Amino acid sequence: QVQLVESGGGLVQAGGSLRLSCAASGTIFSINIMGWYRQAPGKQRELVATITNTGFIKIADSVKGRFTISRDDAKNTVYLQMNSLKPEDTAVYYCNADYPYGLGLFWGQGTQVTVSS
């Protein structure tokens, strides 16, 4: 059974940094696409950034230049380095992993990021 476990969230002041990690386990297959999404109170879940197994990156305009996504396939882990955080970055951050061969898309449980002004 595939599991994704996120870590690294917390409370930080505006202008600060956090690094989120998401480790996948439960299958021997490599992951096609790994990504980060976020959901603020009263809003829909939105894409933050994704990275494919070939290194192609998609990143939201709202975080471009401040957030960086990376992955370590040896550890089945995706990272989100968040710099110059703003109060509007406050949300629950979710990672996901899209597996090949019809295994499907899996989500982590979410980690809270709160940025105080």
Side-chain angles (χ1 to χ4, degrees), residues 2-102:
V2 175
Q3 286 190 319
L4 276 67
V5 179
E6 297 131 336
S7 60
L11 173 64
V12 65
Q13 287 189 330
S17 298
L18 285 174
R19 189 191 194 208
L20 305 183
S21 299
C22 173
S25 63
T27 176
I28 63 171
F29 297 108
S30 60
I31 304 168
N32 283 341
I33 303 173
M34 303 187 81
W36 289 97
Y37 291 71
R38 67 185 183 186
Q39 188 167 17
K43 295 188 176 181
Q44 289 190 329
R45 191 173 297 189
E46 63 177 3
L47 179 146
V48 177
T50 60
I51 182 168
T52 71
N53 55 2
T54 59
F56 181 79
I57 291 173
K58 183 187 297 185
I59 193 160
D61 288 342
S62 58
V63 304
K64 200 169 291 185
R66 300 187 298 121
F67 291 11
T68 303
I69 188 170
S70 61
R71 60 190 282 173
D72 183 340
D73 288 334
K75 298 180 179 179
N76 287 327
T77 299
V78 62
Y79 304 97
L80 186 68
Q81 178 66 43
M82 306 185 293
N83 299 328
S84 303
L85 282 160
K86 304 176 181 180
E88 51 263 44
D89 295 318
T90 295
V92 177
Y93 283 70
Y94 299 89
C95 70
N96 71 7
D98 186 14
Y99 284 83
Y101 313 123

